[in-house]
């Protein structure tokens, strides 16, 4: 499948879910076009300018009414709530964990009064950036997500877990334990127990390798949140591309490597 064929099919799949959403009378792009472009940016995993150059140079005929770069990214920021349509259905068993994303090098911390990221630990190293907490169902699809600065403790994400009190039992590591008490549907897993939690490490690995998600260059909170939202949407769409096919043991292998742009 060529990249043009992939983009066309991606648009069709997104449009199927957004067909009921009307186009504003003054809008240049349809809502499904905006989401498709946001997903492509998240999957490409490069900066705003590099993405705009790539899209304009190679795929302008697919989006003949493509707006100017800054207008396009303002559309992503303004309409990130459209991505909520692509969150997965909860299952009885779920997994949650956080993922550090670097915004600037730690040596540059504090140089700008407009800095939005904070210093925190991620994978035993210091970063200045944000945290993304993903909540997966038992198939590896993203049910919900939340963002915070990198210095936030994992207990900051308890409200995300509390959104599914009667529907999910959520496995998480002991970093999610709060002295004041944990949500009733949260099950803490000490190191070496519940291998099911490795599912979320697989998801983080795919985001790192395919979407280059460990470091992003946005400097405004709303644009960071838009990037998180469209990355989650891209992941949910791509792992379902051929359908979730379990093997003889009931395990569903996840892969998005073939969609690397």
């Amino acid at each position: 499948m060529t990249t043009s064929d992939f983009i066309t099919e991606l648009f069709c799949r997104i449009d199927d879910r957004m067909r009921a959403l009307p186009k504003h009378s003054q809008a240049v792009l349809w809502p499904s076009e905006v989401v498709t472009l946001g997903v492509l940016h998240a999957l490409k995993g490069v900066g705003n300018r590099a993405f705009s150059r790539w899209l304009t140079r190679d795929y302008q005929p697919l989006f003949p009414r493509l707006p100017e770069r800054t207008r396009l990214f303002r559309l992503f920021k303004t309409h990130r709530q459209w991505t909520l349509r692509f969150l997965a259905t909860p299952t009885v068993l779920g997994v949650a964990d956080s993922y550090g994303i670097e915004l600037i090098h730690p040596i540059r911390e504090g140089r700008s009064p407009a800095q939005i990221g904070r210093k925190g630990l991620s994978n035993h190293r210091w970063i200045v950036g944000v945290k993304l907490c993903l909540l997966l169902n038992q198939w590896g699809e993203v049910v919900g997500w939340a963002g915070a600065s990198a210095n936030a403790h994992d207990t900051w994400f308890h409200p995300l877990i509390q959104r599914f009190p009667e529907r999910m039992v959520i496995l998480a590591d002991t970093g999610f334990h709060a002295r004041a008490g944990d949500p009733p549907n949260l099950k803490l897993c000490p190191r070496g127990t519940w291998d099911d939690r490795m599912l979320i490490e697989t998801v983080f690995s795919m985001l790192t390798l395919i979407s280059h998600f460990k470091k992003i260059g946005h400097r405004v909170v709303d644009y960071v949140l838009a990037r998180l939202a469209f990355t989650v949407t891209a992941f949910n769409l791509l792992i379902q591309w051929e359908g979730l096919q379990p093997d003889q043991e009931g395990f569903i292998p996840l892969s998005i490597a073939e969609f690397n742009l």
Side-chain angles (χ1 to χ4, degrees), residues 109-146:
E109 182 189 18
R111 292 189 181 184
S112 170
Q115 175 184 314
I116 59 173
R118 295 293 180 264
K119 181 181 285 188
L121 279 173
S122 174
N123 293 335
H124 307 289
R125 62 182 291 266
W126 290 102
I127 65 168
V128 177
V130 296
K131 273 185 177 181
L132 169 67
C133 181
L134 293 183
L135 175 56
L136 309 181
N137 62 20
Q138 67 186 53
W139 314 121
E141 302 167 298
V142 180
V143 174
W145 64 273

Side-chain angles (χ1 to χ4, degrees), residues 5-256:
D5 291 340
F6 164 68
I7 294 174
T8 303
E9 185 169 349
L10 177 67
F11 168 77
C12 292
R13 293 183 182 221
I14 292 173
D15 189 57
D16 286 342
R17 299 199 191 185
M18 303 187 65
R19 192 166 294 174
L21 196 64
K23 177 185 176 184
H24 192 278
S25 59
Q26 296 180 343
V28 173
L29 299 176
W30 284 84
S32 48
E33 289 183 290
V34 175
V35 175
T36 301
L37 290 166
V39 167
L40 288 175
H41 177 234
L43 184 59
K44 185 68 174 173
V46 296
N48 297 3
R49 294 178 184 273
F51 173 73
S52 181
R53 287 195 302 268
W54 170 78
L55 189 65
T56 304
R57 181 191 65 218
D58 297 340
Y59 303 105
Q60 179 79 43
L62 297 178
F63 303 96
R65 304 192 70 185
L66 186 69
E68 184 267 337
R69 172 178 57 85
T70 58
R71 288 181 177 271
L72 177 62
F73 282 90
R74 282 200 294 272
L75 287 175
F76 296 164
K77 175 196 70 172
T78 303
H79 299 298
R80 70 171 186 266
Q81 74 276 6
W82 287 343
T83 62
L84 296 176
R85 295 169 175 260
F86 299 89
L87 292 176
T89 304
T91 56
V92 174
L93 191 65
V95 189
D97 206 350
S98 61
Y99 176 87
I101 302 171
E102 187 174 356
L103 296 178
I104 59 175
H105 194 280
I107 202 171
R108 298 180 61 85
E109 182 189 18
R111 292 189 181 184
S112 170
Q115 175 184 314
I116 59 173
R118 295 293 180 264
K119 181 181 285 188
L121 279 173
S122 174
N123 293 335
H124 307 289
R125 62 182 291 266
W126 290 102
I127 65 168
V128 177
V130 296
K131 273 185 177 181
L132 169 67
C133 181
L134 293 183
L135 175 56
L136 309 181
N137 62 20
Q138 67 186 53
W139 314 121
E141 302 167 298
V142 180
V143 174
W145 64 273
S149 60
N151 64 336
H153 194 266
D154 284 344
T155 55
W156 193 92
F157 300 112
H158 278 185
L160 174 63
I161 297 172
Q162 291 168 344
R163 282 162 49 185
F164 307 93
E166 304 293 335
R167 305 174 68 184
M168 299 184 75
V169 176
I170 299 169
L171 308 179
D173 60 35
T174 53
F176 281 77
H177 174 62
R179 182 179 300 177
D182 300 321
N185 61 326
L186 174 63
K187 179 176 178 57
L188 299 174
C189 306
R191 183 183 296 272
T193 63
W194 284 89
D195 291 343
D196 306 74
R197 289 195 61 258
M198 287 303 296
L199 174 66
I200 200 165
E201 300 298 335
T202 302
V203 171
F204 288 152
S205 177
M206 287 190 283
L207 293 178
T208 300
L209 295 176
I210 306 303
S211 296
H212 311 286
F213 201 42
K214 202 63 180 174
K215 184 172 183 179
I216 59 178
H218 304 290
R219 299 292 181 261
V220 179
V221 172
D222 286 340
Y223 289 94
V224 172
L225 293 175
R227 179 67 174 273
L228 301 182
F230 283 108
T231 300
V232 167
T233 300
F235 179 79
N236 273 353
L237 284 168
L238 297 181
I239 63 169
Q240 300 169 8
W241 197 266
E242 300 292 343
L244 298 175
Q245 303 292 335
D247 59 19
Q248 295 179 350
E249 298 180 355
F251 174 74
I252 298 179
L254 302 179
S255 177
I256 60 174

